């Protein structure tokens, strides 16, 4: 059955909105409204501190960072990842210990039961 074309039939981006919702929303009306000067950093500003970059570092994708803020951010992320890894390891050890204890209880119960009811 052919698909009926209407105001609500749009691309994947706009397909989730009805024509009325698209008309009502500001960010879907015009590209100028979506990509304005307020939504972009001025050239030479650090993407982390939102201030003019001092001792700028540029990524291959073109993002500009101040070296000081970039190093601070990386060190906090490293510490956070270490903390999360330690938490994960402790929960993993606790889960393994709990599994082994429950498995040991089950196997000892089975051995006792087989001993008591052996023929």
């Amino acid at each position: 059955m052919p698909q009926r074309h209407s105001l609500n039939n749009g691309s994947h981006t706009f397909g989730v909105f009805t024509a009325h919702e698209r008309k009502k929303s500001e960010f879907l009306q015009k590209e100028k409204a979506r990509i304005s000067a307020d939504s972009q950093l001025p050239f030479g500003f650090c993407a982390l501190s939102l201030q003019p970059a001092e001792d700028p570092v540029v990524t291959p994708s073109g993002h500009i960072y101040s070296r000081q803020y970039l190093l601070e951010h990386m060190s906090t992320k490293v510490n956070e990842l270490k903390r999360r890894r330690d938490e994960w390891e402790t929960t993993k050890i606790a889960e393994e210990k709990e599994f082994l204890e429950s498995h040991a209880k089950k196997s000892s119960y089975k051995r006792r039961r087989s001993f008591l009811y052996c023929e």
Side-chain angles (χ1 to χ4, degrees), residues 42-110:
F43 181 74
F45 274 55
C46 174
L48 293 173
S49 66
L50 307 177
Q51 300 295 324
E54 298 172 9
D55 192 16
V57 177
V58 181
T59 63
S61 61
H63 294 89
I64 300 172
Y65 299 101
S66 294
R67 187 176 304 271
Q68 172 191 357
Y69 291 106
L70 183 62
L71 292 175
E72 285 177 20
H73 178 72
M74 290 171 66
S75 67
T76 57
K77 284 295 176 187
V78 167
N79 293 335
E80 181 182 339
L81 289 173
K82 284 180 183 178
R83 183 183 53 81
R84 283 187 175 180
R85 186 184 63 216
D86 292 341
E87 289 174 0
W88 178 80
E89 286 175 351
T90 55
T91 57
K92 192 72 171 170
I93 289 170
E95 288 173 358
E96 287 177 4
K97 187 177 179 181
E98 183 179 316
F99 173 76
L100 291 175
E101 288 175 356
S102 67
H103 186 68
K105 287 179 184 177
K106 288 178 185 176
S107 64
S108 66
Y109 174 75
K110 287 179 182 178

